[in-house]
Amino acid sequence: MSNTVQYRELYAFHPGYYIGELIEEMGVSPAEFARRMGTSRKTVSELLAGKCGLSRESAEKLSALTGMSIE
C-alpha cells in the first residue's frame, strides 16, 4: 500500500502521511509519538508506511494527543 493514490488529476494521501508530518512538527521519534499516543510502535510504523488504516480507536487517541477533532 502506498501513501498516495492518484485518480485522474486528483491525489489522495494516506492518514500516515499526515501523521508523519505531525511527528516531524513535534520533533519526536515515532516511538515517542506512539508512547504519547498510547499505542504501539508497530501501529505507528504501519500507519507511517501506509500498511494499515486509521482505526476509530487510533483516531480517538490521536485526537486526545493533539487536541484536534476526530472529525
Side-chain angles (χ1 to χ4, degrees):
M1 184 181 280
S2 172
N3 279 343
T4 60
V5 176
Q6 181 179 1
Y7 176 75
R8 298 187 183 169
E9 294 182 21
L10 301 173
Y11 286 89
F13 293 88
H14 187 276
Y17 175 85
Y18 298 105
I19 293 170
E21 287 187 343
L22 182 59
I23 290 170
E24 190 174 308
E25 288 174 15
M26 291 176 69
V28 298
S29 69
E32 175 62 16
F33 186 83
R35 187 190 68 73
R36 291 182 186 187
M37 190 172 149
T39 194
S40 71
R41 289 183 296 173
K42 180 181 179 184
T43 297
V44 170
S45 177
E46 288 181 348
L47 276 167
L48 294 175
K51 293 183 177 180
C52 70
L54 186 63
S55 69
R56 177 77 182 189
E57 179 183 1
S58 291
E60 289 170 351
K61 290 178 179 182
L62 187 60
S63 174
L65 174 65
T66 63
M68 291 184 219
S69 169
I70 195 167
E71 273 67 30

